[in-house]
Amino acid sequence: QVQLVESGGGLVQAGGSLRLSCVASGLPSSRYAMGWFRQAPGKEREFVAAITWSGGGTAYADSVKGRFTISRDNAKNTVYLQMNSLKPEDTAVYYCAADFTSSPTVVRTSRREYDYWGQGTQVTVSS
């Protein structure tokens, strides 16, 4: 069965760094874009970053540009989110998701376009 498993969350002080990982298994194809989303208490789930299935293109939310970096290692079936200069407003549950596409360059930012989701990992940033 398809599984996406996130790890790497935790408690850090403002200005610190974390690297999240998401390992995928059971996917029917290797041609999928990957995205990271987050949801804070009482708020809608929002787009954070995405990467094409080839790894050649990325997209970021304005709130994380210059601080977060998404990457992938297809040989390990893993996508990463490197988070630097963390702020208290980054506190949320972070989810990885897979978006199947026939294009090697497309990335999408709407959660409704993604086909598979992980269970999430908690990131808490203290002031």
Side-chain angles (χ1 to χ4, degrees):
Q1 295 184 2
V2 174
Q3 288 188 315
L4 303 177
V5 181
E6 303 98 333
S7 62
L11 174 64
V12 298
Q13 293 184 345
S17 298
L18 285 173
R19 189 177 77 158
L20 306 183
S21 299
C22 175
V23 179
S25 63
L27 292 169
S29 173
S30 62
R31 295 187 174 186
Y32 53 89
M34 296 293 296
W36 286 96
F37 294 76
R38 66 187 183 186
Q39 187 167 19
K43 296 185 178 181
E44 296 285 331
R45 191 184 308 170
E46 65 177 0
F47 170 77
V48 176
I51 187 167
T52 62
W53 64 257
S54 68
T58 58
Y60 297 93
D62 289 341
S63 60
V64 305
K65 286 181 179 178
R67 299 189 298 121
F68 291 9
T69 302
I70 188 171
S71 62
R72 68 191 299 165
D73 184 343
N74 287 346
K76 297 181 178 179
N77 297 315
T78 302
V79 62
Y80 305 95
L81 185 68
Q82 179 66 47
M83 305 185 294
N84 299 325
S85 301
L86 284 163
K87 305 175 181 179
E89 51 262 45
D90 294 318
T91 295
V93 177
Y94 283 70
Y95 300 88
C96 68
D99 173 20
F100 289 93
T101 177
S102 60
S103 173
T105 59
V106 67
V107 290
R108 297 188 284 194
T109 61
S110 173
R111 68 181 189 274
R112 298 184 184 274
E113 300 291 343
Y114 285 76
D115 302 288
Y116 300 101
W117 294 83
Q119 296 300 306
T121 185
Q122 177 71 47
V123 172
T124 303
V125 184
S126 62
S127 61

